[in-house]
């Protein structure tokens, strides 16, 4: 006797369509990357151009370029103002190098061959727990950056793009002014600390960075007109942090490393915190259980850290408590989500 077949599961048409859009997501990513590589956002920023004229200007096959422009218009990144003529739409505006909050370097970084090839081998990370990046490129991510100056430059600029966008939101979302002096550990070119100091003229700051980044931070500090209130020092936070401040700030540092390395960094930061001072971690805090469409950027970042670093990951409140306890801190407060970001300020006190 043959068993009755299981009834087919009914799928709503929109549910299927939504899944297909997610599956096709890489196509949109590659089109965006190609547009940036060709310089289209800059050429179409505030200007209508004919697709044939554009093709001649950039040395492209006109019919194929027209198809790309049409597809980008379909995604809302360009506007087809009349048949065959295009200009940058508001959604595509951050791709222009003239944009205040541009994402040009972020696009170049996250769609670079190094990132793309690592994500192609994501299954390796899922099966082994090891970084696909190491498997594909033969060395850890940060070591690879140090050996490839061009990619390092794109990486640093991408981080600066993020910092320039996020800094005003952190400044308005948390009272940094209660700390007379702040030490930004791993502070990049100083965009966040510069914004804090600009908003709080009575505060002083210190940027602590690696030797490969420190000159950029010094130059940016001079450009910001803050050289008299902000000094820049270099070193290795796995070895020690040779400075003191009322608050030690680490933004997007913890997610790069496993728990043991985070504990080492946090322990090395303890002597830098003056009595009564605070440790401030600026990181996403993933909810438990996860809800659909909650912290979307952060869950994608979590898998990105798996593919690139293996040890790094985005954490929940419980996992932050774990590393803080192990490093000798008490978690005192977690701020609300900072506007237009997934980030929170995690405030801890040395025990």
């Amino acid at each position: 006797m043959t068993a009755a077949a299981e009834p087919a599961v009914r799928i709503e048409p929109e549910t299927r369509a939504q899944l297909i859009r997610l599956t096709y997501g890489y196509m949109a990513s590659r089109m965006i990357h190609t547009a940036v590589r060709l310089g289209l956002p800059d050429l179409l920023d505030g200007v209508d151009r004919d697709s044939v004229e554009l093709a001649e200007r950039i040395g492209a096959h006109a019919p194929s370029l027209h198809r790309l422009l049409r597809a980008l218009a379909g995604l809302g990144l360009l506007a087809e103002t009349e048949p065959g003529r295009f200009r940058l739409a508001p959604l595509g505006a951050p791709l222009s190098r003239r944009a205040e909050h541009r994402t040009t370097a972020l696009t170049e970084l996250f769609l670079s061959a190094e990132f793309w090839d690592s994500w192609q081998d994501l299954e390796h990370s899922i099966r082994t727990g090891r970084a696909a990046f190491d498997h594909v490129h033969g060395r850890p991510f940060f070591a690879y950056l140090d050996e490839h100056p061009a990619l390092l430059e794109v990486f640093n600029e991408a981080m600066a793009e993020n910092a320039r966008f996020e800094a005003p939101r952190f400044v308005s979302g948390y009272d940094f002014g209660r700390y007379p002096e702040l030490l930004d550990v791993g502070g990049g070119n100083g965009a966040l600390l510069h914004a804090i100091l600009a908003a709080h003229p009575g505060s002083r700051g210190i940027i602590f960075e690696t030797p490969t980044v420190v000159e950029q931070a010094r130059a940016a500090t001079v450009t910001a007109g803050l050289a008299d209130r902000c000094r820049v020092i270099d070193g290795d936070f796995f070895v020690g942090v040779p400075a003191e401040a009322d608050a030690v700030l680490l933004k997007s540092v913890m997610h790069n490393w496993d728990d043991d390395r985070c504990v080492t960094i946090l322990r090395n930061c303890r002597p830098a915190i003056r009595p009564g001072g605070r440790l401030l971690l600026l990181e996403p805090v993933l909810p438990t259980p996860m809800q659909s469409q909650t912290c979307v950027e952060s869950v994608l970042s979590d898998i990105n850290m798996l593919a690139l670093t293996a040890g790094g990951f985005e954490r929940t409140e419980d996992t932050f408590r774990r590393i803080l306890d192990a490093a000798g801190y008490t978690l005192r407060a977690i701020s609300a989500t900072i506007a237009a970001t997934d980030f929170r300020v995690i405030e801890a006190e040395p025990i």
Side-chain angles (χ1 to χ4, degrees):
M1 187 174 180
T2 304
E6 291 288 330
V9 176
R10 176 173 171 75
I11 304 295
E12 294 296 330
E14 180 51 37
T15 299
R16 184 183 185 279
Q18 183 179 2
L19 178 58
I20 290 296
R21 285 194 292 271
L22 290 172
T23 303
Y24 288 178
Y26 76 94
M27 300 180 188
S29 297
R30 296 316 304 181
M31 287 191 294
I32 292 169
H33 189 229
T34 301
V36 169
R37 292 287 299 270
L38 293 172
L40 296 177
D42 297 329
L43 291 169
L44 295 172
D45 188 356
V47 181
D48 290 25
R49 294 189 190 275
D50 180 81
S51 61
V52 175
E53 171 202 343
L54 269 176
E56 292 174 353
R57 184 160 183 159
I58 66 175
H61 180 245
S64 298
L65 178 62
H66 180 266
R67 291 167 68 178
L68 174 63
L69 295 167
R70 182 177 60 190
L72 291 168
L75 293 175
L77 300 169
L78 301 181
E80 189 170 12
T81 55
E82 56 184 89
R85 294 187 68 84
F86 300 86
R87 76 158 49 208
L88 201 59
L91 181 60
L95 296 172
S96 169
R97 296 180 192 278
R98 295 197 308 163
E100 179 184 8
H101 294 306
R102 63 181 178 268
T103 61
T104 314
L106 281 166
T107 301
E108 292 175 343
L109 178 68
F110 279 86
L111 294 172
S112 65
E114 288 85 354
F115 276 48
W116 189 260
D117 292 345
S118 300
W119 271 84
Q120 292 241 75
D121 205 24
L122 179 62
E123 183 179 345
H124 172 81
S125 293
I126 302 300
R127 289 189 179 278
T128 67
R130 300 188 182 96
F133 189 97
D134 299 21
H135 187 240
V136 172
H137 300 290
R139 55 185 58 78
F141 176 65
F142 290 108
Y144 185 94
L145 279 182
D146 288 339
E147 297 168 4
H148 293 79
L151 185 64
L152 177 61
E153 183 178 352
V154 173
F155 175 84
N156 287 336
E157 177 54 28
M159 297 305 101
E161 285 180 352
N162 262 345
R164 286 191 291 268
F165 172 76
E166 294 160 351
R169 288 151 182 81
F170 282 116
V171 169
S172 63
Y174 183 82
D175 181 17
F176 292 99
R178 54 183 157 142
Y179 305 108
E181 189 166 31
L182 299 103
L183 167 61
D184 191 351
V185 174
N189 71 353
L192 175 57
L193 188 56
H194 295 161
I196 292 171
L197 296 181
H200 301 286
S203 296
R204 301 180 63 84
I206 308 166
I207 300 168
F208 179 73
E209 254 300 350
T210 62
T212 57
V213 180
V214 75
E215 289 308 319
Q216 294 178 30
R218 288 195 176 109
T221 299
V222 171
T223 300
L226 292 166
D228 60 332
R229 294 170 50 209
C230 182
R231 58 194 176 99
V232 182
I233 58 176
D234 62 60
D236 181 348
F237 51 39
F238 288 115
V239 176
V241 180
E244 283 191 359
D246 302 291
V248 170
L249 169 68
L250 296 97
K251 179 192 173 293
S252 299
V253 172
M254 297 294 98
H255 82 153
N256 290 321
W257 309 103
D258 61 26
D259 283 356
D260 289 343
R261 293 186 189 184
C262 284
V263 169
T264 297
I265 296 168
L266 294 175
R267 283 177 176 163
N268 287 339
C269 287
R270 284 185 63 196
I273 303 173
R274 292 176 180 141
R278 289 289 187 269
L279 172 77
L280 306 176
L281 303 180
L282 278 59
E283 302 270 351
V285 180
L286 297 181
T288 53
M290 179 58 65
Q291 303 294 320
S292 174
Q293 304 304 312
T294 301
C295 293
V296 173
E297 287 187 18
S298 296
V299 293
L300 294 176
S301 173
D302 184 44
I303 303 303
N304 190 51
M305 300 315 295
L306 173 63
L308 296 184
T309 71
F313 62 101
E314 306 296 351
R315 290 175 166 85
T316 63
E317 180 177 336
D318 286 345
T319 51
F320 276 114
R321 285 186 185 278
R322 184 173 68 218
I323 61 173
L324 288 167
D325 288 347
Y329 294 83
T330 298
L331 194 157
R332 292 300 187 194
I334 299 178
S335 75
T337 302
I338 303 297
T341 76
D342 280 348
F343 283 84
R344 298 171 183 255
V345 180
I346 301 161
E347 191 175 316
E349 181 181 12
I351 298 172

